[in-house]
PDB file of all heavy atoms in Angstrom:
ATOM      1  N   ALA B  17     103.688  74.368 114.801  1.00  0.00           N
ATOM      2  CA  ALA B  17     103.556  75.123 113.550  1.00  0.00           C
ATOM      3  C   ALA B  17     103.294  76.585 113.869  1.00  0.00           C
ATOM      4  O   ALA B  17     102.818  76.918 114.959  1.00  0.00           O
ATOM      5  CB  ALA B  17     102.412  74.557 112.713  1.00  0.00           C
ATOM      6  N   PRO B  18     103.582  77.480 112.929  1.00  0.00           N
ATOM      7  CA  PRO B  18     103.249  78.899 113.142  1.00  0.00           C
ATOM      8  C   PRO B  18     101.760  79.141 112.907  1.00  0.00           C
ATOM      9  O   PRO B  18     101.089  78.364 112.221  1.00  0.00           O
ATOM     10  CB  PRO B  18     104.087  79.610 112.075  1.00  0.00           C
ATOM     11  CG  PRO B  18     104.217  78.598 110.995  1.00  0.00           C
ATOM     12  CD  PRO B  18     104.275  77.259 111.674  1.00  0.00           C
ATOM     13  N   VAL B  19     101.261  80.221 113.480  1.00  0.00           N
ATOM     14  CA  VAL B  19      99.850  80.562 113.291  1.00  0.00           C
ATOM     15  C   VAL B  19      99.682  82.069 113.154  1.00  0.00           C
ATOM     16  O   VAL B  19     100.446  82.848 113.732  1.00  0.00           O
ATOM     17  CB  VAL B  19      98.987  80.039 114.475  1.00  0.00           C
ATOM     18  CG1 VAL B  19      99.298  80.803 115.764  1.00  0.00           C
ATOM     19  CG2 VAL B  19      97.499  80.125 114.152  1.00  0.00           C
ATOM     20  N   GLU B  20      98.692  82.451 112.380  1.00  0.00           N
ATOM     21  CA  GLU B  20      98.303  83.858 112.270  1.00  0.00           C
ATOM     22  C   GLU B  20      96.784  83.936 112.349  1.00  0.00           C
ATOM     23  O   GLU B  20      96.077  83.258 111.593  1.00  0.00           O
ATOM     24  CB  GLU B  20      98.774  84.474 110.950  1.00  0.00           C
ATOM     25  CG  GLU B  20      98.310  85.934 110.793  1.00  0.00           C
ATOM     26  CD  GLU B  20      98.785  86.582 109.507  1.00  0.00           C
ATOM     27  OE1 GLU B  20      98.090  86.410 108.485  1.00  0.00           O
ATOM     28  OE2 GLU B  20      99.833  87.251 109.532  1.00  0.00           O
ATOM     29  N   LEU B  21      96.294  84.742 113.268  1.00  0.00           N
ATOM     30  CA  LEU B  21      94.862  84.984 113.410  1.00  0.00           C
ATOM     31  C   LEU B  21      94.604  86.404 112.916  1.00  0.00           C
ATOM     32  O   LEU B  21      95.202  87.359 113.412  1.00  0.00           O
ATOM     33  CB  LEU B  21      94.414  84.826 114.862  1.00  0.00           C
ATOM     34  CG  LEU B  21      94.777  83.504 115.538  1.00  0.00           C
ATOM     35  CD1 LEU B  21      94.208  83.461 116.952  1.00  0.00           C
ATOM     36  CD2 LEU B  21      94.305  82.316 114.723  1.00  0.00           C
ATOM     37  N   ARG B  22      93.671  86.521 111.975  1.00  0.00           N
ATOM     38  CA  ARG B  22      93.482  87.798 111.311  1.00  0.00           C
ATOM     39  C   ARG B  22      92.428  88.669 111.990  1.00  0.00           C
ATOM     40  O   ARG B  22      91.403  88.167 112.471  1.00  0.00           O
ATOM     41  CB  ARG B  22      93.115  87.562 109.846  1.00  0.00           C
ATOM     42  CG  ARG B  22      94.213  86.887 109.043  1.00  0.00           C
ATOM     43  CD  ARG B  22      93.787  86.701 107.605  1.00  0.00           C
ATOM     44  NE  ARG B  22      92.685  85.751 107.473  1.00  0.00           N
ATOM     45  CZ  ARG B  22      91.991  85.582 106.357  1.00  0.00           C
ATOM     46  NH1 ARG B  22      92.262  86.330 105.283  1.00  0.00           N
ATOM     47  NH2 ARG B  22      91.032  84.687 106.298  1.00  0.00           N
ATOM     48  N   CYS B  23      92.714  89.969 111.975  1.00  0.00           N
ATOM     49  CA  CYS B  23      91.789  90.951 112.534  1.00  0.00           C
ATOM     50  C   CYS B  23      91.855  92.221 111.703  1.00  0.00           C
ATOM     51  O   CYS B  23      92.936  92.764 111.479  1.00  0.00           O
ATOM     52  CB  CYS B  23      92.142  91.263 113.986  1.00  0.00           C
ATOM     53  SG  CYS B  23      91.189  92.629 114.701  1.00  0.00           S
ATOM     54  N   ASN B  24      90.715  92.688 111.261  1.00  0.00           N
ATOM     55  CA  ASN B  24      90.625  93.974 110.579  1.00  0.00           C
ATOM     56  C   ASN B  24      89.608  94.842 111.297  1.00  0.00           C
ATOM     57  O   ASN B  24      88.611  94.347 111.807  1.00  0.00           O
ATOM     58  CB  ASN B  24      90.212  93.783 109.114  1.00  0.00           C
ATOM     59  CG  ASN B  24      91.321  93.210 108.281  1.00  0.00           C
ATOM     60  OD1 ASN B  24      91.466  91.998 108.176  1.00  0.00           O
ATOM     61  ND2 ASN B  24      92.126  94.075 107.709  1.00  0.00           N
ATOM     62  N   TYR B  25      89.880  96.138 111.325  1.00  0.00           N
ATOM     63  CA  TYR B  25      88.983  97.034 112.024  1.00  0.00           C
ATOM     64  C   TYR B  25      88.567  98.177 111.102  1.00  0.00           C
ATOM     65  O   TYR B  25      89.171  98.412 110.057  1.00  0.00           O
ATOM     66  CB  TYR B  25      89.640  97.588 113.289  1.00  0.00           C
ATOM     67  CG  TYR B  25      90.762  98.557 113.003  1.00  0.00           C
ATOM     68  CD1 TYR B  25      90.529  99.934 112.927  1.00  0.00           C
ATOM     69  CD2 TYR B  25      92.054  98.098 112.784  1.00  0.00           C
ATOM     70  CE1 TYR B  25      91.555 100.812 112.633  1.00  0.00           C
ATOM     71  CE2 TYR B  25      93.083  98.970 112.492  1.00  0.00           C
ATOM     72  CZ  TYR B  25      92.827 100.320 112.416  1.00  0.00           C
ATOM     73  OH  TYR B  25      93.844 101.193 112.131  1.00  0.00           O
ATOM     74  N   SER B  26      87.528  98.859 111.518  1.00  0.00           N
ATOM     75  CA  SER B  26      87.049 100.020 110.788  1.00  0.00           C
ATOM     76  C   SER B  26      86.800 101.143 111.770  1.00  0.00           C
ATOM     77  O   SER B  26      86.115 100.949 112.782  1.00  0.00           O
ATOM     78  CB  SER B  26      85.759  99.680 110.039  1.00  0.00           C
ATOM     79  OG  SER B  26      85.219 100.831 109.434  1.00  0.00           O
ATOM     80  N   SER B  27      87.388 102.320 111.476  1.00  0.00           N
ATOM     81  CA  SER B  27      87.179 103.480 112.331  1.00  0.00           C
ATOM     82  C   SER B  27      87.616 104.721 111.581  1.00  0.00           C
ATOM     83  O   SER B  27      88.537 104.679 110.785  1.00  0.00           O
ATOM     84  CB  SER B  27      87.981 103.347 113.627  1.00  0.00           C
ATOM     85  OG  SER B  27      87.876 104.530 114.398  1.00  0.00           O
ATOM     86  N   SER B  28      86.984 105.841 111.878  1.00  0.00           N
ATOM     87  CA  SER B  28      87.315 107.106 111.232  1.00  0.00           C
ATOM     88  C   SER B  28      88.318 107.920 112.049  1.00  0.00           C
ATOM     89  O   SER B  28      88.766 108.971 111.608  1.00  0.00           O
ATOM     90  CB  SER B  28      86.044 107.929 111.002  1.00  0.00           C
ATOM     91  OG  SER B  28      85.388 108.162 112.234  1.00  0.00           O
ATOM     92  N   VAL B  29      88.657 107.392 113.242  1.00  0.00           N
ATOM     93  CA  VAL B  29      89.606 108.108 114.102  1.00  0.00           C
ATOM     94  C   VAL B  29      90.686 107.133 114.568  1.00  0.00           C
ATOM     95  O   VAL B  29      90.641 105.944 114.258  1.00  0.00           O
ATOM     96  CB  VAL B  29      88.895 108.735 115.327  1.00  0.00           C
ATOM     97  CG1 VAL B  29      87.835 109.720 114.867  1.00  0.00           C
ATOM     98  CG2 VAL B  29      88.279 107.655 116.197  1.00  0.00           C
ATOM     99  N   SER B  30      91.633 107.658 115.307  1.00  0.00           N
ATOM    100  CA  SER B  30      92.686 106.787 115.845  1.00  0.00           C
ATOM    101  C   SER B  30      92.084 105.825 116.860  1.00  0.00           C
ATOM    102  O   SER B  30      91.076 106.107 117.492  1.00  0.00           O
ATOM    103  CB  SER B  30      93.774 107.626 116.505  1.00  0.00           C
ATOM    104  OG  SER B  30      94.393 108.463 115.560  1.00  0.00           O
ATOM    105  N   VAL B  31      92.741 104.671 116.992  1.00  0.00           N
ATOM    106  CA  VAL B  31      92.184 103.611 117.832  1.00  0.00           C
ATOM    107  C   VAL B  31      93.231 102.990 118.748  1.00  0.00           C
ATOM    108  O   VAL B  31      94.437 103.108 118.529  1.00  0.00           O
ATOM    109  CB  VAL B  31      91.571 102.477 116.981  1.00  0.00           C
ATOM    110  CG1 VAL B  31      90.392 102.972 116.168  1.00  0.00           C
ATOM    111  CG2 VAL B  31      92.636 101.851 116.082  1.00  0.00           C
ATOM    112  N   TYR B  32      92.717 102.352 119.792  1.00  0.00           N
ATOM    113  CA  TYR B  32      93.476 101.379 120.566  1.00  0.00           C
ATOM    114  C   TYR B  32      93.040 100.003 120.057  1.00  0.00           C
ATOM    115  O   TYR B  32      91.874  99.813 119.715  1.00  0.00           O
ATOM    116  CB  TYR B  32      93.144 101.462 122.053  1.00  0.00           C
ATOM    117  CG  TYR B  32      93.661 102.672 122.791  1.00  0.00           C
ATOM    118  CD1 TYR B  32      93.091 103.037 124.015  1.00  0.00           C
ATOM    119  CD2 TYR B  32      94.706 103.441 122.316  1.00  0.00           C
ATOM    120  CE1 TYR B  32      93.550 104.135 124.724  1.00  0.00           C
ATOM    121  CE2 TYR B  32      95.176 104.539 123.023  1.00  0.00           C
ATOM    122  CZ  TYR B  32      94.594 104.883 124.222  1.00  0.00           C
ATOM    123  OH  TYR B  32      95.053 105.971 124.937  1.00  0.00           O
ATOM    124  N   LEU B  33      93.961  99.047 120.071  1.00  0.00           N
ATOM    125  CA  LEU B  33      93.650  97.701 119.605  1.00  0.00           C
ATOM    126  C   LEU B  33      94.096  96.673 120.634  1.00  0.00           C
ATOM    127  O   LEU B  33      95.113  96.862 121.303  1.00  0.00           O
ATOM    128  CB  LEU B  33      94.340  97.418 118.261  1.00  0.00           C
ATOM    129  CG  LEU B  33      93.811  98.258 117.100  1.00  0.00           C
ATOM    130  CD1 LEU B  33      94.828  98.330 115.984  1.00  0.00           C
ATOM    131  CD2 LEU B  33      92.488  97.695 116.586  1.00  0.00           C
ATOM    132  N   PHE B  34      93.332  95.601 120.744  1.00  0.00           N
ATOM    133  CA  PHE B  34      93.580  94.594 121.770  1.00  0.00           C
ATOM    134  C   PHE B  34      93.353  93.195 121.208  1.00  0.00           C
ATOM    135  O   PHE B  34      92.556  93.002 120.278  1.00  0.00           O
ATOM    136  CB  PHE B  34      92.609  94.763 122.953  1.00  0.00           C
ATOM    137  CG  PHE B  34      92.531  96.154 123.509  1.00  0.00           C
ATOM    138  CD1 PHE B  34      91.701  97.103 122.937  1.00  0.00           C
ATOM    139  CD2 PHE B  34      93.267  96.511 124.629  1.00  0.00           C
ATOM    140  CE1 PHE B  34      91.610  98.393 123.449  1.00  0.00           C
ATOM    141  CE2 PHE B  34      93.180  97.793 125.157  1.00  0.00           C
ATOM    142  CZ  PHE B  34      92.352  98.730 124.568  1.00  0.00           C
TER     143      PHE B  34
END
Side-chain angles (χ1 to χ4, degrees):
Chain B
V19 69
E20 177 179 86
L21 306 183
R22 296 181 293 169
C23 172
N24 287 88
Y25 70 93
S26 174
S27 174
S28 58
V29 300
S30 297
V31 296
Y32 288 161
L33 293 158
F34 309 84

